[in-house]
Amino acid sequence: IVSNKPYNPQSRALRWRLLLSYLTVMLTILGASAVGVYEFSRRSLYDQLDQRLEILAQAASHSLVTIRENYYQQQANGSVRKEVSAQVEHRLDSDGDLDIPWQSLREPDQGVEWFDAKAQLLGNAGTLLPDLPMRPGFQTLEGDRIRAVTIAAYSYDRGYRQLEGYIRASETTQEMEAILSRLRWGLGVGGIVVLGLTGLGGVWLTQQSLKPIQQSFGQLKQFTADASHELRSPLTAIKTSIEVMQEYPERIHPQDIQKLAAIASATNQMSHLVEDLLLLARMDAASVTKQEFIALPLDEILEDLLELLQPQAQEKNITLRSQLLAGMQVHGNANQLTRLFANLLENALQYTPTKGTVTLSMKQSDRFVTVFVEDTGIGVAPEHLPFVFDRFWRADIARSRREGGTGLGLAIAQRLAQSHGGEIAVSSQIGIGSCFRVRLPLANN
């Protein structure tokens, strides 16, 4: 089933599509920018933390030899008991720090540890002392709550480098995570505000961008209406003159009779085209409002139409069937509804071969009535179905040779269905036939 709505730059659907496209692009850009800013800030904070820890570890490395000698001397004197950890015994001196040349470590979120060349703990300072194996390089410990760096300390004697031990500096990431948390909140709230402002700007930009299109669309509709109106007078004069000439065939040269008939046929086709264009122009301009609609018995309109088209069906030896429901009333204009279903039935009769069948049926569902126009005609290819309601569209050369056709019948049917608050759709198979479905709201709802 295919339902094709005509392009209209004044429709709300088009505006919403443009606005949503604009917001999608802006949201993508805004999201990518926010993620980029956050990742850059996070990386910068971690780089600063790593640099601070590395400087602290390098400063503490100058005390490694002194702390190691004091540790070994106390161990030789027996003041270090095996059952008591050296981490507790030799952590602080009398004034509360280890007197390293760098500074007194009294920060609650920092710590420094000294190890000998065999990774044995010699001493420590500060309050953040993770009980984890020593490993050179940068580490993230205890579930991203602690950042640590371990560097090696070397001495040089006569050009030879000798490993003296390791220093590990640690610091909590709590403060940094608090900064990142505030940044996330700021980016989130700022993003919402910016998105809101972007939406308002998008509405304004959408309206501004559609103004030239709306103006061109309006000028095109006005030109169509004006041109069609201006063409009516000369076409009427030509048609009248030809009819007068054909009433007196004795005055016409025999060689000119077929020429006049061709002129009359072309004039009639041109007149139908002008009337169809005028009708479409009036519907595009919404000159008929729903206030002018009245409750109409749809079954009676369809019965009158079937009676009118019966001679045409008999002429082509086509069976015209009907299965109508009585009492189905819809709000609308009688002439427009007649034109709507006449276009569909004439289209079905035109493309149904001899001894074929055209069926007109109705079905009620909830607050709607659906009218089906089915035929056993040549059908439409699946790839062509989305275009059957386009103006002046023809599926192939054979269909374009329809005598008296203007290529606007289905486009008019769609606009008439939409103007009555309904919709029209089509399903078709090549060589089997087509089924047009018109769904209209009932008048008692």
Side-chain angles (χ1 to χ4, degrees), residues 5-15 17 210 213-214 217 221 284 415:
K5 294 184 178 181
Y7 169 80
N8 185 355
Q10 297 178 345
S11 66
R12 292 183 178 179
L14 177 62
R15 295 188 180 188
R17 287 196 297 269
L210 283 178
I213 303 176
Q214 292 174 348
F217 191 72
K221 291 193 298 183
D284 288 339
R415 291 294 290 116

Side-chain angles (χ1 to χ4, degrees), residues 52 68 109 259 361 408:
R52 185 166 62 249
R68 185 184 61 185
D109 58 353
K259 297 179 182 179
S361 60
L408 296 174

